[in-house]
Amino acid sequence: MPKGIVLKVVGGLFYLLDGDRVVKATASGKLRDYKQIPIAGDSVTYEITNENEGYLKNINQRKNQLIRPPVANVDQAIVVTSLTEPAFSSLLLDKLLVQILDNNIKPVIYFSKKDKVKDLTVFQKYFDYYKSIGIEVYVGNSLSNESTNNIQKIFKNKVSVVTGQSGAGKSTFLNSIDCNLNLKTGDYSSSLGRGKHTTREVEFLKICDGLVADTPGFSSMELNIDKERLAYIFPGFEEGLNCKFRGCLHEQEPGCKIRELVEEKKIMKESYDNYLKLLGTLKNKKEVYKK
Ligand SMILES: Nc1nc2c(ncn2[C@@H]2O[C@H](COP(=O)(O)OP(=O)(O)OP(=O)(O)O)[C@@H](O)[C@H]2O)c(=O)[nH]1
Ligand SMILES: [Mg+2]
Ligand SMILES: [Zn+2]
């Protein structure tokens, strides 16, 4: 049976990429017969019914998946983070990184809109820090393809997804990598403090010998993870995970290696504070849930 990758899902129709052709498939039988509902990025088998039409038969097991945006089987997630409009937030960046790392996906950071920033040195500490903890970091102006030329290589033979706030510049970034994509972009609204939710659906596109999913941005997001897992996968904590106590939440526990690394400035204090904030939110959530 032929195989394909789900490029996008629109109103019950699945657009499947099989080699060079795109097949529009409906789901055979009822969707509830599937153990999972097919999402973009799924690898599926299908039956051909017409020239470019078919029935989706089966979803192959996913190697990973993100809930928001809903995509499966990606090699890397590129977090598009604007330095301004919308304003940079290291808390949001850390939150996004947590979500990606929690799903065993490799994160890459692209800081956009460097041309709009008067003094770029203000942000240098973030560029340096995220690099120092092993994350690929790029800084660019997506309106000039000159500055995104050196990023093209990361898409080669990979399945990627871009994620980030509405208005951060995800679609503009992808257009700058390949102007044939011609993705719709929208203005930043200073009264709303965010973009205008221009991209409406998750869609995989061919780019630089790879596939990339443009996705709708969001204005807020909630983490769905337990505290122990947060303490384990938080970006930058990897090196220090030999605290004295197993399951250390890196708060006030004696012999906490993470706190030592914060003291030694190997973990950025601001990022550690973000960790404590996220931990606090998760703790409160549980209490509410128990009541
Ligand atoms: N000056 C400048 N403007 C940019 C840059 N990147 C994006 N923009 C602008 O930011 C606005 C929002 O860009 P989009 O690409 O639509 O943002 P998005 O992240 O795709 O937003 P959603 O689809 O709503 O999630 C547009 O007006 C872009 O022209 C950049 O690097 N420099
Ligand atoms: Mg967009
Ligand atoms: Zn600890």
Side-chain angles (χ1 to χ4, degrees):
M1 220 185 300
K3 281 188 181 158
I5 293 173
V6 178
L7 293 178
K8 63 174 172 176
V9 184
V10 183
L13 263 187
F14 302 91
Y15 289 71
L16 311 179
L17 179 71
D18 181 357
D20 275 335
R21 74 171 170 178
V22 176
V23 176
K24 272 193 217 172
T26 47
S28 68
K30 294 189 184 82
L31 263 186
R32 64 167 178 266
D33 292 342
Y34 290 96
K35 285 193 194 82
Q36 291 168 317
I37 292 176
I39 57 174
D42 265 327
S43 151
V44 299
T45 49
Y46 69 96
E47 226 166 57
I48 200 91
T49 51
N50 234 320
E51 200 182 348
N52 283 317
E53 288 170 15
Y55 274 136
L56 195 157
K57 298 293 272 189
N58 194 41
I59 311 171
N60 297 323
Q61 197 174 1
R62 294 174 184 152
K63 71 171 182 186
N64 59 38
Q65 148 177 31
L66 280 176
I67 304 292
R68 210 168 158 208
V71 288
N73 303 322
V74 294
D75 298 312
Q76 59 189 0
I78 302 157
V79 183
V80 177
T81 310
S82 51
L83 295 173
T84 179
E85 297 186 0
F88 172 68
S89 154
S90 72
L91 177 63
L92 178 65
L93 175 57
D94 282 337
K95 228 165 146 180
L96 283 166
L97 293 174
V98 165
Q99 194 208 22
I100 291 164
L101 293 167
D102 183 33
N103 290 288
N104 304 312
I105 297 169
K106 179 191 161 189
V108 174
I109 306 173
Y110 173 71
F111 290 100
S112 65
K113 312 198 187 187
K114 78 164 184 192
D115 55 300
K116 291 207 129 190
V117 170
K118 274 193 212 102
D119 183 6
L120 206 58
T121 57
V122 176
F123 296 100
Q124 194 60 42
K125 64 173 182 185
Y126 300 106
F127 308 155
D128 294 343
Y129 177 65
Y130 289 100
K131 267 186 218 162
S132 80
I133 61 168
I135 299 178
E136 253 176 84
V137 172
Y138 297 91
V139 187
N141 163 12
S142 314
L143 299 183
S144 123
N145 49 10
E146 219 172 276
S147 82
T148 47
N149 271 347
N150 68 332
I151 313 178
Q152 292 183 349
K153 60 177 191 293
I154 70 169
F155 292 100
K156 198 175 162 81
N157 300 327
K158 294 253 171 65
V159 178
S160 313
V161 58
V162 292
T163 177
Q165 258 183 308
S166 177
K170 299 175 292 300
S171 305
T172 309
F173 168 61
L174 295 180
N175 283 339
S176 81
I177 301 287
D178 181 351
C179 59
N180 295 320
L181 290 177
N182 224 346
L183 297 167
K184 199 172 161 203
T185 63
D187 288 338
Y188 165 79
S189 155
S190 46
S191 55
L192 297 171
R194 59 161 171 80
K196 292 183 177 163
H197 295 289
T198 310
T199 306
R200 290 287 172 175
E201 61 197 23
V202 176
E203 178 174 13
F204 276 96
L205 309 149
K206 286 189 180 178
I207 194 169
C208 307
D209 296 323
L211 280 178
V212 67
D214 190 13
T215 65
F218 43 82
S219 21
S220 66
M221 70 165 286
E222 214 176 295
L223 269 188
N224 211 348
I225 178 174
D226 60 45
K227 333 190 259 306
E228 291 73 19
R229 177 90 179 139
L230 179 75
Y232 186 71
I233 54 115
F234 194 83
F237 284 10
E238 204 175 28
E239 244 187 79
L241 284 173
N242 46 354
C243 302
K244 196 164 167 196
F245 300 108
R246 264 191 76 196
C248 180
L249 292 178
H250 325 309
E251 291 173 293
Q252 303 293 339
E253 298 91 330
C256 175
K257 195 79 184 140
I258 297 295
R259 288 178 62 92
E260 255 177 52
L261 290 175
V262 177
E263 296 288 315
E264 290 166 14
K265 300 203 163 42
K266 292 204 176 111
I267 290 175
M268 183 166 66
K269 175 79 168 54
E270 185 175 327
S271 200
Y272 175 69
D273 289 342
N274 290 340
Y275 165 76
L276 292 179
K277 271 184 211 155
L278 296 178
L279 185 67
T281 317
L282 295 180
K283 283 182 167 177
N284 286 336
K285 222 180 180 177
K286 218 166 207 168
E287 276 161 25
V288 173
Y289 179 71
K290 271 184 194 159
K291 271 180 204 164

